Every structure is written in structure tokens, then in C-alpha cells.
Amino acid sequence: MANYRIAPSILSADFARLGEEVRNVVTAGADIIHFDVMDNHYVPNLTIGPLVCEAIRPHVQVPIDVHLMVKPVDRIIPDFAKAGANIITFHPEASVHIDRSLQLIRDHGCKAGLVFNPATPLHYLDHVMDRLDMILIMSVNPGFGGQSFIPEALSKIAAVRRRIDDSGRDIMLEVDGGIKIENIAEAARAGADTFVAGSAIFGKPDYKTVIDAMRGQLAQV
Ligand SMILES: O=C(CO)[C@H](O)[C@H](O)COP(=O)(O)O
Ligand SMILES: [Fe+2]
């Protein structure tokens, strides 16, 4: 079986009890904590910033994967690195200098990645494959949790999987949006190895039951 990772998105957690929520979801089997940063400019929603990342950092031993839905990108990167982020991804069309933003993330000791919205072309990968640790394919339009998976994302995941395999590099391929027990295997078959799930996990009373069921689906791929 491939090395699959489940990355609960805390966007759907109870923010009044966030420390307890992240501890519980890691105990339930989360491999990564997915941290959605929205700025009410690049996306029409406002969420959490470096202060909250710093606050949850002592509560989790797994990597924190910061998904920046912000524009501009660069000035917030050092703050997230200092706040304990391990992986930082951003949307290429939100950065003026993509290569510089990727380098900034790496210079601050974090893994770096690009995020593709459903209608963002993959040509942004052309000259930066050697600088990527993660490629994130959005299977919803960014801005909100709880949306339905867009099936066209599957062919895009497959195209990225080919590009990663051709590169010979160890790049995580993450899918984000509408992932649940019923469709996680499809995303894995298309080539994803890292699965963000917000509402599907935090919307249920028992996180372990959901994560175990997701792993059960992945075991059959
Ligand atoms: O980046 C995001 C939205 O922009 C979230 O990570 C994503 O939507 C997760 O939530 P859900 O699993 O409920 O779709
Ligand atoms: Fe996300």
C-alpha cells in the first residue's frame, strides 16, 4: 500500500476548544493538521493566522500544513514559519514571483507547495518542479468547508501524478475539498497520497471511526 496521509482540516473544528480538538484528531490517527488561512481578499472568507498556529503547535506532534489562501503571499510566510508551520502552500496566481515565494518558504525551513484551484492551469508547475515538496489540487473552489467534491479534479490529480513520477522527485500530492469516506479511494486511485478532510471528520462525533474507515478504503486501492 502506498504511504497515504490523512490531513484533517481544522476549518470545521470547534474553535472554542481548538487545543482539545487537534489533540483528539491526532489521537484518532491524523498524520498532518491542515490549517486553512483565508484573508477576505483572495477568498471571500476570513479565518485564522499565525497566532492560532503558534497556539496549537504545542498540542500536536504531527506536521502542520498551512494552506495560504491569501494575497499577497510573501509577507505572511516568515510569521507562519516562526509559528511552527512545517509545510506552507500558496496559490500561484496570488503570488507576483512564484519562484521567490517558494524559496522564501524553504529559506525559513519549511516544505513548500503550490495549490491549484479547479480552473487554475497546471503550467505553473513548468519551471518549479525541483522546488516543490507538495502539490495541492483543490477539488472545490477555495473559501469554505463543507462543499461537494468536483469530479473533474480526478483527471487533474492523474495529470499531476504523471508529472511527479516523471520528475523522479518525492513530492506529496494532496487533494483538498469534499473528501469523505465514499470518495477517498477514487482520489487515491487517481494518484493522490495526502487527503484533506474537514467536515467529513470534524462533523462527526467520533473522529477515529471516520479516519479508520478512510484508511479501510485506502487499503483496498
Ligand atoms: O481549503 C479549504 C477550503 O478552501 C478546506 O481545506 C477544505 O474545504 C476542507 O473542508 P471540507 O473537507 O469540509 O471540504
Ligand atoms: Fe485547505
Side-chain angles (χ1 to χ4, degrees), residues 7 38 40-41 46 55 59 75 77 80 98 101 123 132 135-136 140 150 160 164 168-169 172 187 190 192 203 206:
M38 304 184 187
N40 192 35
H41 171 66
L46 186 64
H59 294 267
R75 66 177 176 232
I77 287 171
F80 272 106
I98 296 165
S101 300
H123 66 64
L132 295 178
I135 299 169
L136 170 47
V140 297
I150 297 174
V160 173
I164 292 174
R169 298 197 63 248
M172 290 177 270
D206 182 357

Side-chain angles (χ1 to χ4, degrees), residues 9 11 34-38 67 69 136 138 176-177 196:
S9 159
L11 192 57
H34 185 81
F35 192 103
D36 287 303
V37 183
M38 304 184 187
H67 173 192
M69 288 163 272
L136 170 47
M138 293 302 297
D176 184 6
V196 175

Side-chain angles (χ1 to χ4, degrees), residues 92-170:
E93 73 281 13
S95 170
V96 182
H97 303 287
I98 296 165
D99 187 74
R100 178 179 287 156
S101 300
L102 290 170
Q103 194 56 46
L104 190 60
I105 294 170
R106 296 169 80 100
D107 286 349
H108 282 82
C110 298
K111 293 183 189 292
L114 289 182
V115 191
F116 293 84
N117 290 335
T120 306
L122 293 178
H123 66 64
Y124 284 109
L125 291 173
D126 284 354
H127 304 287
V128 295
M129 284 298 278
D130 62 337
R131 292 172 182 274
L132 295 178
D133 302 293
M134 175 180 271
I135 299 169
L136 170 47
I137 298 299
M138 293 302 297
S139 39
V140 297
N141 284 295
F144 304 94
Q147 303 181 79
S148 297
F149 184 87
I150 297 174
E152 286 74 15
L154 293 171
S155 57
K156 208 165 184 185
I157 292 168
V160 173
R161 169 49 59 202
R162 286 191 292 274
R163 291 186 71 144
I164 292 174
D165 290 348
D166 288 350
S167 78
R169 298 197 63 248
D170 185 15

